[in-house]
Amino acid sequence: DTGVSQDPRHKITKRGQNVTFRCDPISEHNRLYWYRQTLGQGPEFLTYFQNEAQLEKSRLLSDRFSAERPKGSFSTLEIQRTEQGDSAMYLCASSLTSLHRGNTEAFFGQGTRLTVV
Amino acid sequence: AQSVTQLDSHVSVSEGTPVLLRCNYSSSYSPSLFWYVQHPNKGLQLLLKYTSAATLVKGINGFEAEFKKSETSFHLTKPSAHMSDAAEYFCVVSDKGEYGNKLVFGAGTILRVKS
């Protein structure tokens, strides 16, 4: 399968614990996004990377959230000291962008469902 | 700044009748626009995209959308609804910028298809 892969698919954690999610984008895609989706809402932007550079991080994100994309390939999203309000589906997407042509379509993974108890 | 407004949170149609899902956008630059569909417990799937070529865009499963710059709209249509079209639909905008900006999603429209 050459689509966007996310791991794990499901995570249940106790409040206060740290969690880390991984995303493997489509090979050679230079753009990688992280979104969060709660029930009944559209995906909410968290952060995105162009190759290994993190271009923007949502102001809604607290300092407990951090993301990396070393070497411009896979990415990790870490949430420290989880809270019940962090419970959501975390979506990763990748796309191929080029200078002055902007975004092509983004391909989404199946997501990681986080439940904080 | 880019933003998207989906004008209807729920739309209900009868099978075989036309579908119209409305979307208005705000963009500082010439935008790219997308429609995604999400079936229950499934991932997001691209339906169609507009990236400054033809203003009438055809997508999968008989869907199409028309980019109207003067109205800042990108409404999604289908001539005849099928039961399998029942899902949630998201309109998405991305400013072009230098390499393309982030994707901004609308709140979604849930389409119900009655038999």
Side-chain angles (χ1 to χ4, degrees), chain A residues 35-47:
Chain A
Y35 286 82
R36 176 172 64 189
Q37 187 175 24
T38 54
L39 197 63
Q41 302 294 319
E44 173 191 26
F45 170 75
L46 294 180
T47 188

Side-chain angles (χ1 to χ4, degrees), chain A residues 31 33 35 37 40-43 45 48 50 56 91 97-110, chain B residues 32 34 36 38 41-44 46 49 51 88 90 94-107:
Chain A
R31 173 70 57 86
Y33 302 88
Y35 286 82
Q37 187 175 24
Q41 302 294 319
F45 170 75
Y48 76 120
Q50 183 75 13
E56 186 176 343
L91 299 169
T97 68
S98 59
L99 185 62
H100 301 309
R101 289 188 60 194
N103 267 312
T104 58
E105 63 267 34
F107 293 84
F108 282 80
Q110 292 292 307
Chain B
S32 295
F34 309 85
Y36 281 82
Q38 189 172 37
N41 299 315
K42 300 285 187 182
L44 285 157
L46 179 73
K49 61 180 179 181
T51 55
E88 188 162 19
F90 295 98
S94 173
D95 283 342
K96 284 236 171 50
E98 187 176 38
Y99 281 90
N101 211 331
K102 65 190 178 194
L103 303 176
V104 176
F105 280 74

